[in-house]
Amino acid sequence: MNLLPSLMPMLDAVRERFEDRLDAVVAPRANEVYFHAHPDLVAGFCAYLYKAWDARLTGVFADDAVAEAGVFHLYYVYTLDAAGGFFILRVPVPPNRPEFTSLTNAVHAVNWQEREIQDMFGLKLIGHPNARRCALHDDWPEVHPLRKDFDLRAPMPPFQGERHKFRQVEGDGVFQVPVGPVHAGVIEPGHFLFSVAGEPVLYLQLRLFYTHKGTEKLFESLPITHGVRLAESISGDSSFAHATAFCHAVERACEVDAPPRARALRTVCLELERLYNHIGDIGAICTDVAFATANMHAMRLKDRVMRLNEHLTGNRLLKGMARLGGVRFDWAEDQLEPLRRLPGQLRPEFDSLMELIADSTGTRDRLERTGTLKPETARNFGVVGIAGRASGFNHDLRRDIPHAFYDQTQFKVPVFTEGDVLRRLEVRRVEVGESLSIIRQTLERLPAGPVFVPIDEVPAGRVALGYVEGWRGEIYHWIRTAPGNRLARCKIKDPSLQNWPALSEAILGNIIPDFPVVNKSFNLSYSGTDR
Amino acid sequence: MFDVLRKSLKVGVVTSSYPATPAALSPHARGCPEIDFAQWQDARPAARVCPTGAIAFTDAEGRRTARLDLGHCVYCGLCAEVDPAIRMTRRCEIAAYRRPDLISQATYSLKPDGTHERLVKGPDTPAPMVAQPKAVAELGRQIQAEAARLFGRSLHIREVDAGSCNGCELEISNLSGPIYDLERFGIHLVASPRHADMLLVTGPVTRNMELALKKTYDATPTPRLVVAIGACGCGGGIFGVNYATRGGVDAVIPVDVYIPGCPPNPYALLYGILQAVRKRAQA
Ligand code: SF4
Ligand code: SF4
């Protein structure tokens, strides 16, 4: 196998340590290694990789391979940032003993992911601290939609009403405040139950998956090319990042590389997506602390980027641009010209907006030390992306495991340790500047050539991991291909999924009126979580 | 404080003059597709590449009925790449009072090789209301008067995400920004359905949101208007109907106006909202 040299020492060490317990080691790609083993190995493998190699468990999911292999498979994806690759442990679960042992007590980050496996595959979760339903709400019948014997269009009885038993918080003067799923602002649906004593929040229970749309199951029913469009609708604000992660996975399965110009154009689009979201969020954070003027300026700049998106891709959210093997549209001179001018035009205006915010001491007072997520908690919860980097998480796939054109550009990854709303805003501020610089660098050395390689046939029976650092954090798409250019499985991992529980930690001790600004500073995707 | 003022004065007025002037769109913007039914030789290639089933056909007894349903279409343009009879327009301001008005269709007799011989019925294009620049210019002035007559005051809108991908929400939020500025028409986005005259609902309506949507609808005082937003809100979009979704908004509550698009851009939203008010005023 043609393995990345930096992964060699780890592979040797893992082999030496677990040799007799590994059924197979397969490296379909230079930075993606699969270890097949018995479920007994799950806990030990995890502990070893965390301790010895500083790995992060970034995804846990199941795959119904009963038809092909007679078992369900569980996959544990470890990201090895320092070495630039992924170790993936695969263990079987026999259908006649459909259960698996939880890792949540050791790695909080997998809490919801494990419960989702239990709901969607009917594999019983052993030893989980709160093994209740999560992805399917309590009133769902006993169905397991991601099992192959479940029909995508199976009619479900209508929703009868909330059956969820929230944990009671008791004590003198404690009361509970339910909010949602329909909120006061223009945001996505979710239910928050605050327990407060006086003003401070003692406990926050989150309930999501209101926008569950059967997306992963739907992928299995579509030709792979249609999947690109579906991937654009996983989380609208990350349309391009999700669609690119999907294309990346398919390209890796086909052993095809997008041509250099395509990778450059992808990089530009990913940065445009980062720009309009970051600028919009900075404005929205200001609104939530009553600095509406700043938001108006931010929205003006955001719209400028969205108009440029439309000019470059036909759609303000960059929808329609992604394609397997590259991107759909090359850019003519009349499109490149305003793009080239963007950094020079936007930068001074953005700086002046940030000055306005910095000069507003009232705003700073509200943002500083609000919604603090300590680095230690962030690490325990596996928090990634913006929220992670505001709390000491020094990782960014664009730098550590570069995709697209990022290995050809230079940029700073801002990291803070205070973990408050102000630092989440600061991460965005710095990243906006870096995005503009990445766009400039990319355009300066824009390679010539085609913007895609055609992918007409996707070989069956392949597995592949696609990854993209979206504006919110790292996005993973894992696929297993089936005959006829179809997918047997598409696992979508939006960064929101593991960041949500950390929000409950960040709000502790804060007052409910500060919740909107804390929530906004995380700005997690409900649809990306619920799918 | 003075700095804040100085900055605002320096920036000046940024609000778009729409609807007094046509929407400012890039020449590269993609609106809805348009089919030249008379010249349509074969519906199959477009149906094959269409990711949402917006272009679909049924064959029976040597005839083919083929259709384009904007209630699913995401304006991706893939159909136009494979079929010379289809072209992508820049048209985005589209609204329909009835769901069938988003569907255009025609019936063809077939040649032995499965291509179209000739048009035998249609094309049936009940053409959704599409903006006429002149009529649009009137709307801005009409809207406040009509809302005032209808509700005795300005128009209050409550947004409900019944399962969207959040793309529609992004554009709806942009309406309250300085560029599109809904408020200049006396239209406010409000926090509770109890204060609302109109619900803007994005979809597809998920099973988990169905009840919440119904309750929100019930909590909205009559006369109430419901506007279904986006391909998903109109017909379920790319998600369609599956174990977790009910499809478009009208599968759950009655809808007054449909605004297609993925997502509808702010002009399309403004246009559709204005049409909704107009519909009620005409009734
Ligand atoms: S533009 Fe609409 S009709 Fe054409 S392929 Fe895309 S979704 Fe289908
Ligand atoms: S219409 Fe498009 S943008 Fe709107 S919710 Fe559906 S997929 Fe998302």
Side-chain angles (χ1 to χ4, degrees):
Chain A
M1 67 180 85
N2 202 358
L3 198 74
L4 208 65
S6 54
L7 284 173
M8 263 333 213
M10 295 170 204
L11 181 62
D12 290 342
V14 169
R15 273 215 170 112
E16 192 185 333
R17 191 177 171 100
F18 298 110
E19 186 70 83
D20 47 333
R21 301 173 68 191
L22 294 173
D23 300 331
V25 179
V26 200
R29 274 154 294 277
N31 69 354
E32 186 180 340
V33 188
Y34 290 80
F35 299 88
H36 300 177
H38 187 270
D40 285 350
L41 202 66
V42 169
F45 194 83
C46 176
Y48 174 70
L49 281 189
Y50 263 80
K51 277 210 193 80
W53 298 106
D54 206 16
R56 296 185 290 126
L57 180 52
T58 46
V60 179
F61 56 89
D63 176 28
D64 180 347
V66 174
E68 299 88 344
V71 289
F72 294 94
H73 283 134
L74 292 176
Y75 289 87
Y76 297 83
V77 180
Y78 292 88
T79 302
L80 303 163
D81 304 277
F86 306 93
F87 277 7
I88 302 173
L89 180 68
R90 187 190 91 176
V91 302
V93 178
N96 58 6
R97 249 190 101 218
E99 54 183 49
F100 68 112
T101 306
S102 168
L103 274 183
T104 295
N105 282 328
V107 184
H108 298 343
V110 298
N111 173 358
W112 288 12
Q113 299 182 55
E114 288 187 336
R115 288 162 68 186
E116 193 182 330
I117 295 174
Q118 172 170 270
D119 290 353
M120 303 306 274
F121 288 88
L123 307 181
K124 193 168 155 39
L125 193 46
I126 314 283
H128 189 287
N130 179 20
R132 296 187 296 171
R133 278 191 172 185
C134 158
L136 298 181
H137 284 181
D138 302 72
D139 85 308
W140 279 71
E142 270 303 309
V143 292
H144 306 298
L146 285 175
R147 284 197 178 191
K148 292 290 174 199
D149 56 10
F150 181 89
D151 176 23
L152 169 68
R153 312 218 185 267
M156 292 292 113
F159 187 77
Q160 291 303 341
E162 197 55 83
R163 303 244 180 91
H164 189 69
K165 284 206 175 51
F166 288 94
R167 288 189 178 141
Q168 290 303 311
V169 175
E170 286 167 359
D172 261 358
V174 173
F175 59 100
Q176 298 192 302
V177 186
V179 179
V182 179
H183 296 284
V186 179
I187 59 168
E188 300 176 75
H191 185 87
F192 304 114
L193 184 65
F194 299 92
S195 303
V196 292
E199 294 246 71
V201 176
L202 294 178
Y203 188 46
L204 166 61
Q205 299 178 68
L206 303 169
R207 195 159 156 65
L208 295 173
F209 292 91
Y210 285 92
T211 68
H212 175 63
K213 297 184 267 296
T215 307
E216 289 183 6
K217 185 83 178 176
L218 191 51
F219 270 107
E220 296 171 18
S221 79
L222 296 176
I224 291 179
T225 41
H226 292 9
V228 182
R229 303 280 83 80
L230 182 57
E232 290 178 334
S233 296
I234 292 166
S235 179
D237 54 19
S238 305
S239 303
F240 191 77
H242 266 289
T244 302
F246 180 77
C247 294
H248 193 215
V250 177
E251 287 154 17
R252 284 165 68 92
C254 299
E255 279 152 33
V256 165
D257 273 330
R261 190 174 175 89
R263 284 187 272 135
L265 266 48
R266 277 182 177 173
T267 300
V268 170
C269 289
L270 287 168
E271 295 309 315
L272 289 169
E273 196 159 78
R274 183 168 280 105
L275 279 172
Y276 86 77
N277 278 292
H278 277 11
I279 296 172
D281 283 353
I282 289 172
I285 289 171
C286 290
T287 302
D288 282 340
V289 294
F291 191 14
T293 316
N295 185 38
M296 289 298 147
H297 288 296
M299 288 184 88
R300 183 168 58 82
L301 301 183
K302 173 186 178 190
D303 201 69
R304 192 180 299 166
V305 180
M306 294 183 75
R307 275 170 194 247
L308 185 58
N309 290 349
E310 178 181 77
H311 192 58
L312 294 168
T313 68
N315 183 285
R316 287 163 52 88
L317 301 186
L318 305 159
K319 288 192 175 196
M321 179 64 170
R323 77 163 278 162
L324 298 178
V327 293
R328 254 176 88 203
F329 313 112
D330 200 352
W331 294 331
E333 194 43 42
D334 75 306
Q335 289 166 297
L336 282 168
E337 202 260 335
L339 176 61
R340 275 193 215 104
R341 275 188 288 129
L342 180 78
Q345 280 181 342
L346 201 66
R347 187 69 207 238
E349 290 224 43
F350 178 73
D351 288 348
S352 123
L353 166 66
M354 292 313 299
E355 243 169 67
L356 200 66
I357 297 171
D359 288 347
S360 159
T361 39
T363 304
R364 196 186 165 97
D365 277 352
R366 290 284 308 274
L367 304 182
E368 202 168 15
R369 285 190 289 277
T370 301
T372 302
L373 180 69
K374 292 204 189 81
E376 193 189 319
T377 320
R379 208 173 325 114
N380 287 343
F381 281 80
V383 177
V384 297
I386 303 165
R389 291 193 281 276
S391 298
F393 173 79
N394 191 355
H395 297 295
D396 186 324
L397 291 181
R398 294 178 297 168
R399 179 195 64 195
D400 304 334
I401 315 183
H403 48 87
F405 202 63
Y406 288 109
D407 53 349
Q408 314 275 318
T409 59
Q410 292 190 343
F411 53 94
K412 225 179 21 236
V413 175
V415 179
F416 299 89
T417 49
E418 290 87 344
D420 52 6
V421 174
L422 182 68
R423 279 14 178 251
R424 288 188 282 276
L425 184 136
E426 284 291 298
V427 169
R428 291 176 167 97
R429 180 181 64 79
V430 178
E431 289 190 354
V432 164
E434 296 301 308
S435 280
L436 291 171
S437 151
I438 292 171
I439 291 176
R440 196 170 29 72
Q441 295 174 50
T442 308
L443 292 179
E444 273 163 11
R445 60 188 83 141
L446 190 62
V451 294
F452 63 86
V453 285
I455 293 184
D456 301 320
E457 275 292 314
V458 180
R462 300 255 174 108
V463 293
L465 182 74
Y467 50 91
V468 160
E469 183 81 29
W471 64 269
R472 190 180 265 121
E474 54 198 42
I475 295 172
Y476 297 100
H477 278 225
W478 182 90
I479 56 165
R480 178 161 68 88
T481 61
N485 293 320
R486 304 249 161 185
L487 293 176
R489 177 87 172 98
C490 178
K491 172 66 200 171
I492 304 152
K493 174 75 197 331
D494 187 271
S496 309
L497 190 62
Q498 67 204 67
N499 282 7
W500 272 114
L503 178 62
S504 289
E505 297 292 317
I507 193 65
L508 296 184
N510 288 257
I511 58 177
I512 293 187
D514 273 344
F515 180 72
V517 71
V518 176
N519 191 15
K520 194 70 214 181
S521 71
F522 278 80
N523 192 9
L524 304 176
S525 169
Y526 300 65
S527 184
T529 303
D530 306 348
R531 288 153 285 143
Chain B
M1 190 64 224
F2 286 115
D3 289 340
V4 174
L5 272 175
R6 194 175 306 125
K7 178 158 174 64
S8 298
L9 288 173
K10 206 173 116 204
V11 168
V13 177
V14 297
T15 306
S16 144
S17 52
Y18 182 90
T21 55
L25 291 179
S26 157
H28 298 280
R30 261 192 326 278
C32 71
E34 187 176 78
I35 301 181
D36 183 348
F37 281 98
Q39 297 300 320
W40 209 9
Q41 300 299 322
D42 191 351
R44 292 171 301 180
R48 199 175 309 126
V49 297
C50 176
T52 62
I55 291 182
F57 62 86
T58 42
D59 287 355
E61 292 161 11
R63 293 191 165 195
R64 168 173 302 149
T65 301
R67 63 179 205 162
L68 165 65
D69 182 352
L70 294 185
H72 285 281
C73 177
V74 294
Y75 299 4
C76 68
L78 289 167
C79 52
E81 284 180 2
V82 299
D83 191 329
I86 305 177
R87 78 180 182 96
M88 295 309 288
T89 68
R90 287 167 61 218
R91 210 180 300 136
C92 58
E93 298 140 291
I94 303 169
Y97 288 159
R98 301 178 319 125
R99 177 72 178 82
D101 289 349
L102 291 174
I103 301 169
S104 43
Q105 61 180 22
T107 304
Y108 300 88
S109 58
L110 293 180
K111 292 183 193 157
D113 66 357
T115 57
H116 305 168
E117 188 179 46
R118 63 189 172 81
L119 207 55
V120 293
K121 192 161 160 273
D124 192 4
T125 49
M129 291 173 297
V130 173
Q132 302 299 327
K134 259 215 179 110
V136 168
E138 296 292 298
L139 280 172
R141 284 189 292 279
Q142 285 176 6
I143 174 82
Q144 250 163 318
E146 285 176 359
R149 204 185 66 187
L150 198 58
F151 303 108
R153 51 178 166 70
S154 52
L155 180 71
H156 292 172
I157 300 183
R158 170 73 227 146
E159 197 271 344
V160 185
D161 177 341
S164 100
C165 79
N166 81 26
C168 284
E169 274 59 37
L170 239 156
E171 291 291 38
I172 293 170
S173 324
N174 282 337
L175 289 179
S176 31
I179 311 279
Y180 307 100
D181 192 15
L182 206 60
E183 300 260 343
R184 72 198 147 119
F185 302 117
I187 303 175
H188 310 295
L189 291 176
V190 294
S192 163
R194 297 192 195 282
H195 307 154
D197 311 302
M198 179 189 286
L199 297 179
L200 291 188
V201 189
T202 61
V205 184
T206 61
R207 179 179 185 276
N208 290 347
M209 277 306 287
E210 186 177 356
L211 191 67
L213 176 59
K214 278 190 193 138
K215 283 187 178 170
T216 308
Y217 179 74
D218 290 340
T220 312
T222 50
R224 62 198 153 193
L225 287 162
V226 176
V227 181
I229 306 289
C232 294
C234 290
I238 196 165
F239 298 97
V241 177
N242 67 38
Y243 74 92
T245 67
R246 294 278 184 243
V249 176
D250 61 7
V252 178
I253 56 171
V255 169
D256 296 283
V257 171
Y258 299 81
I259 307 179
C262 181
N265 68 21
Y267 296 117
L269 292 169
L270 274 180
Y271 179 76
I273 292 168
L274 300 184
Q275 294 300 342
V277 176
R278 197 189 219 191
K279 174 183 186 182
R280 187 50 57 83
Q282 280 166 355

